[in-house]
Amino acid sequence: MNMKVNISAVLALIILLFSCKDKPRTDLAKITFKEPAADLINYDDKYVGGIDNFEAPMSFALQGTAPNSFAFNGVKLDSADITFQLRSDKIRKDTLLYQGGATIDQEHIKNSADLKKLLNKYQADSVIYAYRVRLKTPEIKSSILTQLIKLYGPGIKNPNTDNGLYWNLKNQHRFIFFNPDYRSLIVVDNTNLSKTCYWDPTTGNIDMGGCDIEQYKANILK
């Protein structure tokens, strides 16, 4: 009888250990920006999609509330909200959708059919071109900054924020913005964007070298 009890206890412990083991995470530092949004998200997490003119200006915003499916160069992002940006011709060109402040118009996404329906509604691409991580604690800010410097060097001071840094990775066609004042990390694939200018509400206007900001603003909606 005692032997049976002991075996049962061991089996229960094994099952518990396997259930507590971390599931595989998508490392955002390693994505290529060729990934469809549908392949990145886990529908067990809470997602909404649509317009968020502050977090994802002039693009389709796919936002997860504290998903536990991501890391950045090994740093777990459990406490961080994640926003994926997808190009949307409807949102980009129909200025009535986002003018007049921080416009938010989103719907819950529970499965792949919900996501496909919203992408069609906003004439959005299926592949992401940027992601934004909401860094909620001093600890996660510090950990992410350590990894950014480890990967890309010390960064360049963002003149529009008190403590912001950015990296212009020309060989990777990528902009990276670390904005602790706004609790955010923004990573953008600029393959189809301007290589000399960048703007969004949290970074301000940044001259990457040879930027004609007025021309950039005139062309940003094209």
Side-chain angles (χ1 to χ4, degrees), residues 18-33:
F18 273 100
S19 66
C20 293
K21 186 177 180 181
D22 272 353
K23 64 181 179 181
R25 293 170 180 264
T26 298
D27 195 324
L28 294 177
K30 298 179 181 179
I31 67 174
T32 64
F33 292 97

Side-chain angles (χ1 to χ4, degrees), residues 58-76:
M58 290 174 288
S59 64
F60 180 89
L62 177 59
Q63 298 178 318
T65 301
N68 61 0
S69 305
F70 300 100
F72 185 87
N73 205 39
V75 175
K76 296 178 182 179

Side-chain angles (χ1 to χ4, degrees), residues 44-218:
D44 291 335
D45 297 321
K46 295 180 180 179
Y47 280 92
V48 295
I51 301 170
D52 184 334
N53 192 41
F54 185 80
E55 288 290 342
M58 290 174 288
S59 64
F60 180 89
L62 177 59
Q63 298 178 318
T65 301
N68 61 0
S69 305
F70 300 100
F72 185 87
N73 205 39
V75 175
K76 296 178 182 179
L77 298 176
D78 290 344
S79 66
D81 297 339
I82 310 290
T83 299
F84 294 108
Q85 290 181 247
L86 297 85
R87 179 186 172 96
S88 164
D89 284 340
K90 182 175 181 63
I91 295 173
R92 202 164 51 89
K93 295 178 179 180
D94 187 350
T95 57
L96 292 177
L97 292 176
Y98 59 81
Q99 283 188 341
T103 303
I104 297 177
D105 185 4
Q106 299 172 318
E107 299 177 37
H108 289 284
I109 295 173
K110 296 181 179 179
N111 51 49
S112 59
D114 288 347
L115 176 58
K116 184 177 181 180
K117 180 180 178 180
L118 277 179
L119 293 179
N120 289 337
K121 175 181 177 179
Y122 288 104
Q123 301 169 22
D125 290 348
S126 61
V127 175
I128 71 166
Y129 76 88
Y131 64 81
R132 307 164 79 91
V133 182
R134 177 67 65 181
L135 308 173
K136 297 182 180 180
T137 67
E139 292 77 15
I140 195 71
K141 290 180 187 177
S142 176
S143 296
I144 293 299
L145 179 57
T146 297
Q147 296 306 315
L148 288 169
I149 293 172
K150 179 180 178 181
L151 290 169
Y152 310 119
I156 301 168
K157 177 71 172 66
N158 182 341
N160 304 313
T161 63
D162 292 337
N163 300 293
L165 297 171
Y166 71 88
W167 291 258
N168 182 4
L169 307 180
K170 295 181 181 180
N171 61 329
Q172 297 184 38
H173 308 287
R174 197 167 297 185
F175 295 143
I176 299 176
F177 305 96
F178 175 72
N179 297 319
D181 307 288
Y182 289 94
R183 303 189 302 168
S184 69
L185 168 69
I186 305 167
V187 182
V188 181
D189 180 276
N190 63 23
T191 300
N192 298 311
L193 302 177
S194 170
K195 308 301 185 295
T196 61
C197 300
Y198 184 81
W199 168 88
D200 80 16
T202 62
T203 64
N205 298 322
I206 297 182
D207 185 340
M208 297 292 182
C211 172
D212 181 339
I213 194 62
E214 295 306 320
Q215 186 64 40
Y216 172 75
K217 289 179 179 179

